[in-house]
């Protein structure tokens, strides 16, 4: 019977061939919608399965402090989503209130005070740790291995919108971007059709295989979409904040320009180099490590994951020859914005240190 269905050439007469065609038409007309419904229900069941698996890892994060610029001494409250990343009660979140006096999480209708272990200014991520762990919770595990999730993949976000219960959001992976307008991202960002609202930034995002794709990082309300910081970037930041309370980013000590060549494309040409570097002005940059360089944004991606103090191979084209030059990775200098932010934190700590304990007791 199965051979009869699969092979049209087995029929000796046109009559049986006609019967086969009628039967195939019947299957396509009446059975495919049933198969489509079964596929839909399977996808729905998978989404529900992932929600049940990871729901207890998601928390609502709240932070508060007194507004120092207001004459009425207003208190600022900011909330967002976060999720456990270890069995010891570590929580990763983004967009935390600057210089908070108190930070706590809400999990299963209970409140848990937390301490801030460190914040990363470049990607605006913060690592928290509960002073007392919930009795039952799960956590999201992930490594620094890069997982390629194809464009068009289904994504599942778990978030805490406003004061509502934890809920799922469904979207598609739309693209991988390296900039927004003229501003370069610190690393590649995933653009998705997850339409997120207040309080939902900071939640974890998964694919249908249950892999952690990244953290909901920013919202584009006009496009009904959002940016997701990938899992390997989250891993680098989590590990840095856990070990030392900060993240050390690399810096190659070069500036480059993009120039047209004779092949109707462009070259990345080194303009300035660090005084101790073996690179030279005018070198055409081909690769950094195993990463091909065709645009300036490719250098940003390589810099993000480079570790200060290590060596990275630069492949350049110089005077008609391709050369491999080891370059020592330097520590990234702070930007003016980051330095200004540090100054504000220091000033705030000095001006408010005498009142902080009293404010905490009074709340």
């Amino acid at each position: 019977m199965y051979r009869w269905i699969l092979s049209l050439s087995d029929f000796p007469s046109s009559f049986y061939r006609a019967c086969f065609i009628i039967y195939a038409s019947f299957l396509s007309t009446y059975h495919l919608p049933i198969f489509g419904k079964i596929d839909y229900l399977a996808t729905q069941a998978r989404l529900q399965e992932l929600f049940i698996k990871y729901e207890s890892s998601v928390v609502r994060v709240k932070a508060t402090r007194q507004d120092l610029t207001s004459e009425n001494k207003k208190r600022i409250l900011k909330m967002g989503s976060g999720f456990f990343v270890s069995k010891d009660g570590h929580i990763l979140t983004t967009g935390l209130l600057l210089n908070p006096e108190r930070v706590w999480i809400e999990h299963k209708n209970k409140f848990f005070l937390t301490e801030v272990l460190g914040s990363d200014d470049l990607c605006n991520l913060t690592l928290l740790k509960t002073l007392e762990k919930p009795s039952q919770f799960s956590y999201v595990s992930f490594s620094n291995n890069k997982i390629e999730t194809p464009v068009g993949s289904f994504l599942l976000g778990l978030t805490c919108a406003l004061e509502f219960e934890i809920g799922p959001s469904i979207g598609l992976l739309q693209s991988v971007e390296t900039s927004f307008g003229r501003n370069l991202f610190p690393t590649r960002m995933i653009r998705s059709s997850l339409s997120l609202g207040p309080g939902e930034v900071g939640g974890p995002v998964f694919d249908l295989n249950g892999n952690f794709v990244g953290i909901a990082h920013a919202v584009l309300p006009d496009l009904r979409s959002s940016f997701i910081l990938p899992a390997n970037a989250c891993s680098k930041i989590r590990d840095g904040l856990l070990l030392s309370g900060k993240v050390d980013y690399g810096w190659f000590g070069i500036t480059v320009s993009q120039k047209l060549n004779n092949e109707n494309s462009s070259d990345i040409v080194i303009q300035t180099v660090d005084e101790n570097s073996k690179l030279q002005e005018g070198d055409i940059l081909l690769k950094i490590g195993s990463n091909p360089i065709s645009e300036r944004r490719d250098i940003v991606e390589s810099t993000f994951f480079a570790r200060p103090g290590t060596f990275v191979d630069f492949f350049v084209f110089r005077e008609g020859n391709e050369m491999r030059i080891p370059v020592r990775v330097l520590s990234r200098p702070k930007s003016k914005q980051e330095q200004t932010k540090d100054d504000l934190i220091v000033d705030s700590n000095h001006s408010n240190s005498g009142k902080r304990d009293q404010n905490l007791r009074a709340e």
Side-chain angles (χ1 to χ4, degrees):
M1 177 180 177
Y2 293 104
R3 189 182 174 195
W4 181 81
I5 293 176
L6 294 175
S7 180
L8 185 61
S9 62
D10 289 344
F11 296 98
S13 68
S14 60
F15 171 78
Y16 289 112
R17 293 189 183 186
C19 290
F20 175 82
I21 293 172
I22 293 172
Y23 181 69
S25 176
F26 172 81
L27 285 178
S28 67
T29 303
Y30 295 102
H31 285 231
L32 283 182
I34 297 176
F35 296 153
K37 184 177 181 180
I38 293 174
D39 291 341
Y40 165 77
L41 292 176
T43 302
Q44 177 178 274
R46 179 56 176 164
L47 293 171
Q48 293 170 341
E49 178 185 359
L50 291 174
F51 175 73
I52 293 172
K53 178 179 180 180
Y54 289 110
E55 178 188 11
S56 64
S57 69
V58 181
V59 301
R60 176 177 288 107
V61 180
K62 291 185 176 181
T64 183
R65 65 171 169 81
Q66 183 175 312
D67 186 2
L68 301 176
T69 62
S70 174
E71 297 180 357
N72 298 326
K73 295 184 179 181
K74 294 181 180 180
R75 182 156 291 277
I76 301 173
L77 174 66
K78 188 175 182 180
M79 68 177 70
S81 298
F83 54 99
F84 286 106
V85 294
S86 78
K87 62 181 180 180
D88 297 320
H90 294 96
I91 298 162
L92 198 63
T93 186
T94 186
L96 189 70
L97 183 68
L98 177 64
N99 196 29
E101 297 172 355
R102 174 180 293 175
V103 182
W104 70 96
I105 64 165
E106 296 178 7
H107 182 265
K108 300 294 185 181
N109 298 319
K110 293 184 179 180
F111 305 89
F112 299 89
L113 286 175
T114 67
E115 59 177 329
V116 178
L117 297 186
S119 294
D120 175 56
D121 295 332
L122 186 63
C123 293
N124 199 21
L125 260 61
T126 299
L127 186 66
L128 308 173
K129 189 176 187 300
T130 55
L131 301 183
E132 178 186 356
K133 294 189 299 184
S135 57
Q136 291 184 341
F137 68 96
S138 60
Y139 64 93
V140 179
S141 60
F142 52 94
S143 67
N144 58 3
N145 295 328
K146 187 176 182 180
I147 299 177
E148 295 290 348
T149 306
V151 172
S153 298
F154 280 103
L155 299 178
L156 172 66
L158 302 183
T159 59
C160 303
L162 296 176
E163 295 286 354
F164 297 118
E165 297 293 330
I166 297 170
S169 298
I170 310 300
L172 294 175
L173 194 155
Q174 296 176 309
S175 62
V176 178
E177 304 290 343
T178 56
S179 63
F180 183 66
R182 296 183 177 180
N183 298 318
L184 287 175
F185 291 136
T187 185
R188 287 187 171 92
M189 291 281 189
I190 297 171
R191 185 172 68 91
S192 78
S193 62
L194 290 172
S195 182
L196 305 178
E200 295 189 283
V201 170
V205 180
F206 305 91
D207 62 17
L208 291 192
N209 292 319
N211 297 317
F212 175 66
V213 175
I215 185 172
H217 190 262
V219 178
L220 297 171
D222 293 340
L223 299 178
R224 297 187 299 277
S225 61
S226 56
F227 282 119
I228 300 168
L229 185 69
N232 57 340
C234 293
S235 176
K236 175 183 175 69
I237 296 171
R238 175 203 59 190
D239 294 346
L241 296 179
L242 185 61
L243 292 174
S244 62
K246 62 179 182 178
V247 184
D248 293 324
Y249 291 104
W251 186 59
F252 298 136
I254 62 173
T255 61
V256 299
S257 63
Q258 193 163 341
K259 295 183 178 181
L260 292 175
N261 57 30
N262 297 329
E263 299 178 356
N264 199 27
S265 60
S266 58
D267 293 327
I268 302 300
V269 182
I270 296 178
Q271 295 295 310
T272 61
V273 298
D274 183 73
E275 59 182 5
N276 297 321
S277 176
K278 295 181 180 179
L279 297 171
Q280 295 182 7
E281 297 179 16
D283 286 345
I284 298 176
L285 190 51
L286 303 176
K287 288 196 308 181
I288 298 179
S290 60
N291 301 319
I293 305 299
S294 59
E295 298 179 300
R296 284 180 291 182
R297 62 189 66 182
D298 295 329
I299 302 176
V300 176
E301 178 74 0
S302 297
T303 304
F304 185 88
F305 291 100
R307 292 183 300 168
T310 63
F311 284 87
V312 176
D313 287 333
F314 273 57
F315 295 85
V316 301
F317 192 75
R318 178 190 299 173
E319 297 178 353
N321 298 311
E322 182 176 331
M323 304 178 64
R324 180 177 65 87
I325 301 176
V327 174
R328 183 178 178 85
V329 182
L330 307 174
S331 294
R332 175 182 173 272
K334 286 187 176 182
S335 65
K336 293 182 180 180
Q337 182 179 1
E338 290 170 331
Q339 188 60 51
T340 301
K341 184 176 180 180
D342 289 346
D343 293 340
L344 288 174
I345 292 176
V346 172
D347 291 343
S348 177
N349 286 338
H350 283 302
S351 62
N352 205 39
S353 59
K355 302 178 181 179
R356 182 165 299 152
D357 292 339
Q358 180 180 356
N359 289 337
L360 286 174
R361 288 193 295 269
E363 291 174 348

